[in-house]
Amino acid sequence: MKLYKYMSPELAEKFIKRPLLRITPAFCLNDPFEVSIPQVVLNDMKNEIIYGRESKFENDLNRYMLSHGIISLSATNDNLLMWSHYAKNHEGFVVEILIDQNDEFSIFNTMHVPKSSDASLCKVSYEENRLLPYQFDVNSFNEARNYYYATKFLDWEYEREYRFIYPCISATVLILDTKNLKYNSVVEKLKLNPPEVSAGRYREVNIKMLEIGWADAGNNGNHQFYNALIDVWLDSKENGAIFLVELSSKAIGKVFVGARANVNEFERWFKCEDTLSDVNYYCYITESYVNVMEAKLDLDNFSVEFSPFNVADSVC
């Protein structure tokens, strides 16, 4: 299966240098109805639960929904609204991601097994109302929970979205804003060492290496580390922390440069050899681009067409 990720030119440059996707918390999504369960449905759920376990049920539900984020993808690479909304008015690009339907999570370079945390890849459904389409019972708890992770209002149907429900503790990279007022508290909570060199405003942290450092320091192993990481995640709207996971180079298919993109910038990014990516976008032997396409506006129709990327044929 092929899915697509739309990106602004700023994110495109970073992705070309290192293929990372953000795990977005529900409270940072652009739809305020995301990942929330209507009160009437919550009441039905409570009525089906054994008396005395209601608080545990709510705690389990909240813990799951707060500790899992979303990686949004689309089934289409040529939607004009998507190009405008998510690729900065056709100035960015779209990445084709190749999904193995027998092992969807093989696209990620991660030491963790996300499915152990009830992670999943789901197709978003678009509905007129938010009530469950079936009667809830105690055996359909997980199904109901996932329903609200993967249901949006009809107006969003143009996105044709698929989404990974992904645990924050399976992130591979953490980006910290050193100018944020809560930066020092995050450093203290995660027991980070001072950076060896100043790398500007944003500090990149390798989560796996950080986890190993905790274990070597005798900080009671993974449990406390993951609790600290989740605390940073839950406060990420305030502390500015961004959680990302790295894509396997084998999962990256074609890339599609937008019709209004600055092609000279993309040419420079594609040819840059100072990257952490294994993906080759340009072959110096054949002097040609590899799996790089560019969008052109079809002026006779409301559509875009794709052809091989060629700087000489493009207009900035």
Side-chain angles (χ1 to χ4, degrees):
M1 179 169 64
K2 296 177 180 179
L3 297 177
Y4 302 91
K5 184 68 175 179
Y6 290 75
M7 298 184 189
S8 67
E10 295 79 11
L11 290 179
E13 179 185 9
K14 294 176 182 177
F15 185 91
I16 290 168
K17 293 179 178 179
R18 189 178 184 186
L20 298 170
L21 293 180
R22 184 183 182 186
I23 308 165
T24 306
F27 46 78
C28 290
L29 296 170
N30 58 5
D31 180 357
F33 291 96
E34 290 276 21
V35 196
S36 63
I37 298 179
Q39 189 60 49
V40 63
V41 176
L42 281 174
N43 292 339
D44 288 343
M45 290 178 171
K46 291 179 183 178
N47 291 336
E48 291 291 330
I49 295 171
I50 299 173
Y51 179 75
R53 296 186 61 193
E54 294 94 335
S55 61
K56 182 180 186 303
F57 159 76
E58 286 198 86
N59 288 338
D60 288 348
L61 181 65
N62 289 333
R63 187 181 303 112
Y64 177 88
M65 298 187 103
L66 288 173
S67 64
H68 287 67
I70 287 172
I71 300 172
S72 295
L73 304 172
S74 175
T76 178
N77 67 341
D78 59 1
N79 185 282
L80 299 181
L81 281 176
M82 295 285 282
W83 273 103
S84 293
H85 293 168
Y86 300 113
K88 200 176 181 180
N89 302 322
H90 297 250
E91 294 177 13
F93 83 165
V94 170
V95 180
E96 180 183 72
I97 299 176
L98 310 176
I99 310 287
D100 180 352
Q101 292 181 273
N102 294 317
D103 185 8
E104 296 101 338
F105 287 88
S106 64
I107 70 170
F108 301 113
N109 283 338
T110 175
M111 296 296 292
H112 300 290
V113 181
K115 287 190 176 181
S116 66
S117 296
D118 291 335
S120 63
L121 171 64
C122 53
K123 182 179 181 180
V124 172
S125 63
Y126 302 93
E127 308 293 342
E128 290 188 10
N129 66 70
R130 305 194 67 236
L131 299 182
L132 279 174
Y134 52 84
Q135 180 62 41
F136 176 83
D137 62 54
V138 71
N139 296 316
S140 59
F141 169 75
N142 289 347
E143 184 179 352
R145 178 194 65 195
N146 291 342
Y147 178 81
Y148 286 103
Y149 257 96
T151 302
K152 301 183 72 172
F153 185 54
L154 282 174
D155 285 358
W156 296 94
E157 193 167 14
Y158 73 94
E159 292 185 341
R160 295 180 59 192
E161 184 180 355
Y162 283 75
R163 53 177 47 171
F164 282 94
I165 303 172
Y166 203 94
C168 66
I169 61 172
S170 291
T172 54
V173 172
L174 180 63
I175 302 294
L176 300 178
D177 182 355
T178 63
K179 300 295 185 182
N180 188 284
L181 294 176
K182 290 192 171 183
Y183 171 72
N184 289 332
S185 66
V186 172
V187 168
E188 182 178 354
K189 184 177 289 290
L190 294 179
K191 305 184 190 303
L192 291 172
N193 295 321
E196 294 181 3
V197 295
S198 176
R201 175 170 179 172
Y202 295 99
R203 178 179 179 184
E204 182 175 307
V205 178
N206 183 314
I207 292 179
K208 188 60 183 178
M209 294 304 297
L210 179 59
E211 180 183 357
I212 293 172
W214 269 62
D216 290 345
N219 290 300
N220 294 328
N222 290 349
H223 184 69
Q224 283 196 6
F225 170 73
Y226 288 143
N227 283 340
L229 198 61
I230 289 173
D231 285 345
V232 172
W233 162 269
L234 293 177
D235 193 40
S236 58
K237 190 173 184 178
E238 300 297 328
N239 63 37
I242 297 176
F243 289 67
L244 305 109
V245 62
E246 187 169 15
L247 274 182
S248 166
S249 59
K250 295 179 181 179
I252 300 173
K254 295 178 181 178
V255 296
F256 304 85
V257 178
R260 288 181 169 178
N262 184 327
V263 293
N264 291 327
E265 282 193 339
F266 273 94
E267 179 186 27
R268 177 163 49 85
W269 299 337
F270 288 140
K271 291 182 177 180
C272 179
E273 296 182 340
D274 183 22
T275 72
L276 295 175
S277 175
D278 293 330
V279 180
N280 292 317
Y281 297 99
Y282 186 79
C283 177
Y284 282 92
I285 297 175
T286 61
E287 296 185 337
S288 61
Y289 293 91
V290 181
N291 288 330
V292 179
M293 311 293 287
E294 63 180 322
K296 295 182 182 297
L297 300 179
D298 180 350
L299 299 180
D300 295 325
N301 300 284
F302 289 116
S303 63
V304 291
E305 298 177 342
F306 300 110
S307 58
F309 184 73
N310 187 340
V311 176
D313 293 341
S314 302
V315 178
C316 293

